[in-house]
Every structure is written in structure tokens, then in C-alpha cells.
Amino acid sequence: MKKLIITAALVASQIISHAQTKFTITFNQGFGQLPTFTKYKEADLLTTKQAEDAFNFIKNSVGIEWGYSYAGCEKRAHAASLFLKKKKVEHYKIWNFDPMMISLFNKSEKPTIISKAGLSPKISWGYHVAILVFVKDGKEIKPMVIDPALDDNLLTQEKWLDLQNSTTSYYTYLDSKWYNYATTDKFKYYCQGVAHPFPPCMDGLLTGDFFLNDDVSLTSMWIEEALAVNQLAMRLIREIINKEPANSYKKKIFTELVENFNNLTNALNGTNLNEDIKVYADILKPYQSEFITIKKNWKSKLDELRQ
């Protein structure tokens, strides 16, 4: 019960927008850092045209593959943020969470979208994150979202939330530098010097801790790896899955592979291949070689932006 009370402290200044709840993170457990949101200045507000230009730039000109969205939204959002920062476009991130990640007293209703990849019709996540900009339209200031994974146009915040079909989700604004977050299932809870792990069947609750893209996430190239997976996933769909007949065993195996982000990442790295995909190891080899090249190319591109 103590843990649930602490987690509930994350929810402050609740604002109901449609049915979703806006919340502010005011407390963290110390696994990472308490995230920040620095309110915009009048001079940093965008015009509608500037926001649309920023959207089109991110969608069409930076090389991020937006069609594959089974996982890795935080990686795509952070890469997009680096490009916008280089162009001096003031922006933030908007995070949307399954309500059960806020408190176990909430019923789960995961953000769920229509897939753009053409495989399973729907994709569900525990959370989703995208680029947020503030647009001055006359006397009104509008929060707008840049998220080509969900739509081919700049979105109002309300439309962005509605597209995720989670009427009870919780969303928050954070500064763009915050890359990822901590949940209770990834850590042990210390009570009087004794470490207590959480039950493995317990869904992770937000601890209020967020992380920058540094240390292991930077040196292990987590963002670069995910961007490379996105690109090759769409190629596997076009070059293998879509060319196979509907009842093809090969189509089934590659569809299952592509629909599981972690398994696909492992396969492209040449690790933990299951027996079914091992049959097609020779087909995977050129994709594995290209995976290394694409990842290195993203590393060079993003490191230049990080300077």
C-alpha cells in the first residue's frame, strides 16, 4: 500500500481533456531524475506554418521510418527532437500512458492505434510519446503534436489522444531532453536496507524517474538500433511478406518476426534465433549486414546533431 500511495503522488494538478487526464510528475523514487517541463516563452511560440513546416521536415527529410510503430516511439521521438533542436525549433514531448501505469487502482486501457505497416490491424502500447509544439493562433495558444507514426498531418493534442483510443489515459508534458522513464518492475524496493523485488506478474508503475539519452543508452546505440530496425522491418514487409501468398508458411514466420520488435532486433543482431526463423537464416543474412551499416550511419548522423 505504501508503494501505491507514493506512486499516486505522481498525479497532481489533474486537468480533464476530453476523457483523458493531464498530470504533472512531482515526485520520483531516485532511480533516475525528476523530469522537468519548462514553460514556453512568448517568443518561442510557433506560427501554424512554422509548425507545419517542422512536421513536414520530420516526416519527409530526416530519414526516420514512420510506418513501423510496434515499439520504439521514444527512440523516434528523441531522434526527431535532435533534428528540431539543430534547427532551433522550440519543442517538447508529450507522453501518454495506460492508466494502470499511474496506479493499480486504475483499469488498464492501453493506447491502441491502427497499424500503418499493413500487418496486424491494431497495435497496443503501455505508453506513447511524440513531439509537442505550442502554436500561437491569434490570441489562442494551441498544443500541437508532430507524430507521423499516427497521421500524415500535424495534429491537435486532442486528435493525437483520440487516435490512440484510450479514453482514460494519462498524459503529461516534458522537456524534450527526457528520453525514457523507470517503472517499478525494473527495480527493487528498499525498506530498512533490505531489497524487495516486485512480483514478476505485477504491471510496472511509473516511479516518477526519467532518464537522459546518456550512459548505456548512448554507448549501446539504443536509438540508432531502433531506427535501423524500423527501416529494415518495412523492407522485410515489402520484399518478403507482401510477396508471399496468404497461406505461405514463410509469410507467417516473417510476419510473426516483424510484429515482435524485440525478436526482430535479436534476429537482425544474429542472436536468439528461434528454430522457425533459423530455417530462413540465409535470407536474413543480407539484412543483418545492412543492419550494421544503417546503425553506424545513424550513429554518425545523430552524433553530429548531439554536438
Side-chain angles (χ1 to χ4, degrees):
M1 178 59 71
K2 180 179 179 182
K3 186 65 180 182
L4 294 180
I5 292 172
I6 290 173
T7 306
L10 296 173
V11 183
S13 305
Q14 291 192 358
I15 300 172
I16 305 299
S17 173
H18 287 45
Q20 297 93 355
T21 304
K22 184 176 186 296
F23 74 104
T24 302
I25 299 173
T26 60
F27 176 87
N28 70 312
Q29 285 288 320
F31 300 125
Q33 300 179 55
L34 183 68
T36 55
F37 171 64
T38 308
K39 188 173 180 180
Y40 52 80
K41 298 176 182 177
E42 186 79 13
D44 294 326
L45 296 173
L46 305 185
T47 65
T48 299
K49 185 178 186 308
Q50 287 173 328
E52 289 174 345
D53 287 346
F55 174 86
N56 289 326
F57 169 67
I58 291 301
K59 177 178 179 288
N60 301 318
S61 302
V62 301
I64 298 173
E65 172 57 67
W66 296 99
Y68 180 80
S69 52
Y70 284 88
C73 60
E74 74 281 2
K75 278 89 169 177
R76 293 190 300 272
H78 203 75
S81 175
L82 291 173
F83 282 104
L84 291 175
K85 184 177 179 182
K86 196 72 170 181
K87 288 180 72 71
K88 302 188 185 305
V89 175
E90 188 68 20
H91 64 283
Y92 303 86
K93 290 177 184 173
I94 180 169
W95 296 77
N96 191 35
F97 295 96
D98 178 351
M100 189 178 278
M101 291 186 66
I102 305 301
S103 169
L104 290 180
F105 293 113
N106 292 331
K107 181 180 178 181
S108 176
E109 189 183 16
K110 296 181 183 299
T112 300
I113 67 159
I114 303 300
S115 171
K116 295 175 73 174
L119 302 180
S120 294
K122 293 184 179 181
I123 301 171
S124 295
W125 310 300
Y127 68 97
H128 188 52
V129 58
I131 298 295
L132 174 73
V133 295
F134 288 96
V135 173
K136 187 170 185 180
D137 184 10
K139 293 183 179 180
E140 188 178 0
I141 297 173
K142 298 179 179 179
M144 306 289 287
V145 183
I146 295 173
D147 192 359
L150 263 62
D151 198 272
D152 290 331
N153 298 284
L154 181 71
L155 295 169
T156 63
Q157 173 186 288
E158 290 77 15
K159 180 65 173 175
W160 183 76
L161 290 169
D162 288 347
L163 285 172
Q164 294 173 64
N165 300 291
S166 176
T167 58
T168 57
S169 66
Y170 283 70
Y171 69 95
T172 191
Y173 301 159
L174 294 181
D175 289 330
S176 62
K177 66 182 180 179
W178 299 107
Y179 159 65
N180 212 341
Y181 61 88
T183 51
T184 54
D185 56 321
K186 302 297 192 298
F187 297 92
K188 293 181 179 180
Y189 185 65
Y190 286 84
C191 178
Q192 298 180 343
V194 179
H196 299 276
F198 289 90
C201 58
M202 177 179 173
D203 284 337
L205 296 168
L206 285 178
T207 67
D209 297 277
F210 274 70
F211 303 98
L212 304 174
N213 176 218
D214 57 12
D215 297 333
V216 65
S217 69
L218 182 64
T219 57
S220 297
M221 300 194 295
W222 289 357
I223 293 176
E224 293 84 349
E225 181 174 75
L227 295 177
V229 171
N230 287 358
Q231 288 180 237
L232 291 173
M234 293 306 293
R235 279 192 50 193
L236 286 166
I237 292 171
R238 291 191 301 269
E239 297 171 6
I240 297 178
I241 295 172
N242 288 349
K243 292 183 178 181
E244 289 292 312
N247 60 351
S248 162
Y249 179 74
K250 181 179 176 183
K251 184 186 188 81
K252 175 181 179 291
I253 295 304
F254 273 93
T255 298
E256 290 174 353
L257 178 67
V258 169
E259 288 185 332
N260 188 308
F261 179 85
N262 290 332
N263 287 349
L264 178 57
T265 302
N266 288 335
L268 291 172
N269 276 311
T271 59
N272 297 325
L273 297 179
N274 63 37
E275 294 303 316
D276 289 328
I277 201 63
K278 280 181 181 179
V279 175
Y280 301 104
D282 288 343
I283 294 175
L284 273 176
K285 281 183 181 178
Y287 294 95
Q288 291 168 336
S289 297
E290 198 159 354
F291 182 58
I292 296 170
T293 301
I294 295 173
K295 191 161 57 170
K296 287 180 179 177
N297 289 343
W298 273 115
K299 173 69 171 171
S300 298
K301 186 182 292 188
L302 296 185
D303 277 351
E304 184 177 344
L305 296 174
R306 290 177 177 121
Q307 294 175 359

